[in-house]
Amino acid sequence: PYLNGTGTVWFDDIELYGTPVLMASRTTGTPRIDGKLTEPCWSEGSAVSGFSLADGSGLPRRQTWAWSAYDDKNLYFAFRCEKEPGVSLKKTVTERDGDVWVDDDVELFLNPRGDRGDYYQFIVNPLGTRYDSLRTDRAWSTEWQAAVQETQEAWTVEIALALANLPIDLRVGPNWCVNFCRSDKATHEVSAWSCTFGGFHTPERFGTLEGLDLDFTPHYLKDAQSQLAEVRAAHQAAVAGMSTEGAPADIAEPFLTRRDRIAAAIAEFEALV
């Protein structure tokens, strides 16, 4: 609410909506990605539920549960989506990175930097068809696994994301932003673990996945080396073709000194990395 000018406003029946937190759970066994939630890491007590309608108007008619686990090489996620016995799921899209959201689906949103900025979307429909994107850019793609099972009461999904295939840079730490979402075509409802009060693509409303106890060093080194290569290339491009011939000494000498000092500093930093 905004006031134009001065005045007094009274409010009643106020609700404040925070964002939920999920503690990361390390698994000692590697889940088999077959859509069956039989591994210990998918025990009932470790699930998050309480999905709400994405527009904030209440609870969906059929609930959803989501799980998260990790080991040194992968992040794992699972969903269990209630459905009415005898009601058919909508499952039509078979093309990778097709419009899978026209079907029943589950959607995983990940913001590795934990800053609610750039995020990655992963969608799976009941046929196991996969979609991934950077924000809404489906040109971005990576390798990951997903599998689905369906019973009379529910359909379940398992997902494995290899850390080596995720864009982890120097700004990534143990706390990521995440959201779990679902589209239920039979009820025409869309729901989310962290209510977005609108569309799913609302990173400021993502929840938090805390405590990923991972060794990010290889990713940090790779990112540092890449950034240093860009700095070296930019420096070389900046001084290429520049000459101090004929320039007064009081101009040429400081330029040459700074140029050489910058080149030495870059080389020293590269050696340190």
Side-chain angles (χ1 to χ4, degrees):
Y2 290 91
L3 268 178
N4 183 16
T6 60
T8 304
V9 179
W10 289 264
F11 295 98
D12 189 18
D13 196 18
I14 294 294
E15 290 184 84
L16 300 179
Y17 292 88
T19 55
V21 175
L22 170 62
M23 290 303 301
S25 176
R26 178 180 283 275
T27 179
T28 56
T30 302
R32 183 178 179 183
I33 307 303
D34 56 9
K36 301 176 182 178
L37 309 186
T38 55
E39 290 84 2
C41 61
W42 310 136
S43 62
E44 185 175 345
S46 63
V48 295
S49 59
F51 278 47
S52 59
L53 293 173
D55 63 5
S57 61
L59 298 177
R61 279 171 274 182
R62 293 198 278 263
Q63 260 302 333
T64 306
W65 291 262
W67 291 260
S68 173
Y70 74 98
D71 57 25
D72 289 334
K73 295 184 178 180
N74 300 284
L75 298 178
Y76 304 101
F77 299 93
F79 292 80
R80 184 180 188 275
C81 306
E82 283 185 339
K83 70 183 188 72
E84 291 291 335
V87 174
S88 297
L89 298 172
K90 185 177 180 183
K91 41 185 175 181
T92 61
V93 179
T94 59
E95 179 186 1
R96 170 70 190 267
D97 287 338
D99 295 346
V100 290
W101 49 86
V102 303
D103 290 340
D104 280 271
D105 71 29
V106 294
E107 306 191 20
L108 166 68
F109 291 83
L110 277 182
N111 164 229
R113 292 176 183 169
D115 60 0
R116 295 181 167 84
D118 276 345
Y119 59 90
Y120 302 88
Q121 180 185 24
F122 303 88
I123 310 178
V124 184
N125 74 0
L127 295 175
T129 304
R130 293 168 298 148
Y131 169 96
D132 51 19
S133 65
L134 168 57
R135 290 186 176 267
T136 58
D137 180 9
R138 72 176 81 193
W140 180 88
S141 190
T142 190
E143 286 302 315
W144 52 290
Q145 295 178 270
V148 176
Q149 291 286 329
E150 183 179 349
T151 68
Q152 284 295 312
E153 295 79 25
W155 65 289
T156 54
V157 183
E158 283 182 299
I159 294 172
L161 304 175
L163 290 165
N165 294 335
L166 292 176
I168 297 173
D169 59 25
L170 286 161
R171 288 168 286 186
V172 173
N175 299 330
W176 297 22
C177 293
V178 62
N179 208 0
F180 309 110
C181 304
R182 176 191 179 183
S183 178
D184 186 342
K185 297 305 181 187
T187 59
H188 305 287
E189 292 177 337
V190 291
S191 56
W193 171 58
S194 181
C195 183
T196 56
F197 298 99
F200 291 156
H201 292 266
T202 312
E204 60 269 21
R205 290 294 311 164
F206 291 176
T208 304
L209 177 64
E210 289 189 347
L212 286 167
D213 184 17
L214 291 165
D215 180 11
F216 292 116
T217 305
H219 303 279
Y220 291 163
L221 288 174
K222 183 178 179 181
D223 184 38
Q225 289 163 350
S226 175
Q227 291 195 42
L228 279 168
E230 291 180 12
V231 171
R232 177 174 284 282
H235 176 251
Q236 290 172 343
V239 300
M242 296 183 71
S243 173
T244 57
E245 185 177 351
D250 60 342
I251 295 176
E253 186 175 346
F255 167 75
L256 293 173
T257 299
R258 291 190 181 111
R259 180 195 64 183
D260 294 343
R261 284 172 59 190
I262 291 171
I266 292 172
E268 182 180 357
F269 200 18
E270 285 177 330
L272 177 64
V273 169

